[in-house]
Amino acid sequence: MMTPSEADEAGRARYTYRLRVSSTARTALLAEWDRCRWIWNECVAKSKAIHLRNNSTGEKRTCGPAQLDGMLTEARERTPWLREGSSVPQQQVIRDFGRSRAKASKDIRERLPHVEHGRKARARLTRYDRMMARRRPRKGQATSKGYREAKTWRAKTYAKIARQRQETGRKWAKKVVTDHDAIAVEDFEPRFLARSSMARKAADAAISATKRALIEMGRKHGRDIRLVHPAHTTMDCASCGARTKHALPLSERIYTCTVCGAVSPRDKNSAHVMRAGLNPAGAEGVRPPGALLPEAA
């Protein structure tokens, strides 16, 4: 072990300690952790109840750290078991819950936007289609001025929708590559969606164009973009790696592992599986492996 003077000359010293607690201290710590866990679960339940009530009644009630602190004070007055513990870690649990909820809300807002530019312009496109249908010339006849104008307006509307989709995808891709150094993208082709009931929404979301914009933006800013093979990303468990044997319909949004019993939202479980693919055996990276990751701009 280096002396402090040697550590100062070398730059920095690192010491490793191992804390051994007695059985009495261990019992006290476990009891304190139980109280903190109970407070966290109560914060989650109260936040969900307020959210459901706001959705059903249209109210705008809040459940922030200030309200939760007041509830904690009332709970400590009524519950002797909770009053036996220190108020400092219990209040810290409430502050940690507030930060975690704020981060979760931010992640939800920053998901891939689905502005539905095509749906908003559907009324105008339908109007132009009807104008063209009424003025459609017979075979061998010249087109009328109204037909040509409706055709021009229709083409301009489709071009505007395409530009809006590209601009939305580029803005989202720029924000993603600014906030992250390494990104895993599911490398799937959305062609099969054209034969499903989601064809119109999938086309309006411009999934392929958005993925292409993300890859180009990541290459431009020097980020590590990994294309993960889409096989079994929704069937593998992110906790234990086991693969589900039964089929998972799209209506089933909660993933439950039959091996380890882990339960999580299906999209979140798939995201964790894809994140494990940042350094897989067969992943295709858009940048040579081993290159240094620059800090986010």
Side-chain angles (χ1 to χ4, degrees), residues 112 188-190 193 201-213:
L112 177 61
F188 82 102
E189 296 292 339
L193 295 175
K201 286 188 176 181
D204 201 4
I207 300 175
S208 295
T210 304
K211 184 181 75 172
R212 186 165 54 250

Side-chain angles (χ1 to χ4, degrees), residues 62-206:
T62 59
C63 185
Q67 291 86 346
L68 294 175
D69 278 332
M71 297 175 189
L72 175 61
T73 303
E74 297 177 0
R76 286 176 61 86
E77 293 177 355
R78 297 192 308 264
T79 310
W81 168 76
L82 196 62
R83 195 165 53 247
E84 292 176 0
S86 175
S87 62
V88 176
Q90 297 174 8
Q91 292 174 350
Q92 185 62 40
V93 168
I94 293 178
R95 289 192 288 268
D96 292 341
F97 173 78
R99 285 193 292 265
S100 299
R101 186 176 58 180
K103 183 179 182 302
S105 302
K106 180 174 178 291
D107 293 340
I108 292 175
R109 291 193 302 268
E110 292 180 355
R111 287 177 180 173
L112 177 61
H114 187 22
V115 190
E116 297 183 342
H117 297 293
R119 185 184 62 82
K120 295 178 181 178
R122 191 177 303 164
R124 283 181 294 162
L125 292 173
T126 303
R127 176 169 170 261
Y128 298 151
D129 289 338
R130 289 176 179 174
M131 292 174 61
M132 292 176 60
R134 289 195 299 266
R135 295 167 175 79
R136 189 179 302 278
R138 295 182 179 180
K139 188 176 181 180
Q141 292 182 350
T143 57
S144 62
K145 179 180 178 182
Y147 180 87
R148 292 194 299 270
E149 288 180 351
K151 187 176 181 180
T152 302
W153 293 338
R154 181 175 179 269
K156 288 184 177 180
T157 303
Y158 273 115
K160 181 179 179 180
I161 294 173
R163 291 195 303 269
Q164 288 175 333
R165 290 171 178 170
Q166 293 177 0
E167 182 67 14
T168 301
R170 281 197 296 265
K171 287 182 178 179
W172 176 80
K174 177 65 177 298
K175 186 171 182 57
V176 170
V177 301
T178 302
D179 295 340
H180 302 86
D181 289 333
I183 304 170
V185 184
E186 186 175 357
D187 188 22
F188 82 102
E189 296 292 339
R191 297 176 183 174
F192 69 95
L193 295 175
R195 300 186 295 271
S196 65
S197 59
M198 301 171 59
R200 180 172 292 178
K201 286 188 176 181
D204 201 4

Side-chain angles (χ1 to χ4, degrees), residues 28-84:
L29 287 174
L30 290 176
E32 196 67 46
W33 291 338
D34 290 339
R35 297 186 190 95
C36 294
R37 188 183 303 110
W38 183 85
I39 293 173
W40 181 278
N41 293 336
E42 287 296 315
C43 292
V44 173
K46 190 64 178 178
S47 179
K48 286 184 178 180
I50 294 295
H51 178 71
L52 293 175
R53 179 169 181 174
N54 291 342
N55 289 342
S56 59
T57 62
E59 300 179 1
K60 293 185 178 180
R61 299 182 61 182
T62 59
C63 185
Q67 291 86 346
L68 294 175
D69 278 332
M71 297 175 189
L72 175 61
T73 303
E74 297 177 0
R76 286 176 61 86
E77 293 177 355
R78 297 192 308 264
T79 310
W81 168 76
L82 196 62
R83 195 165 53 247
E84 292 176 0

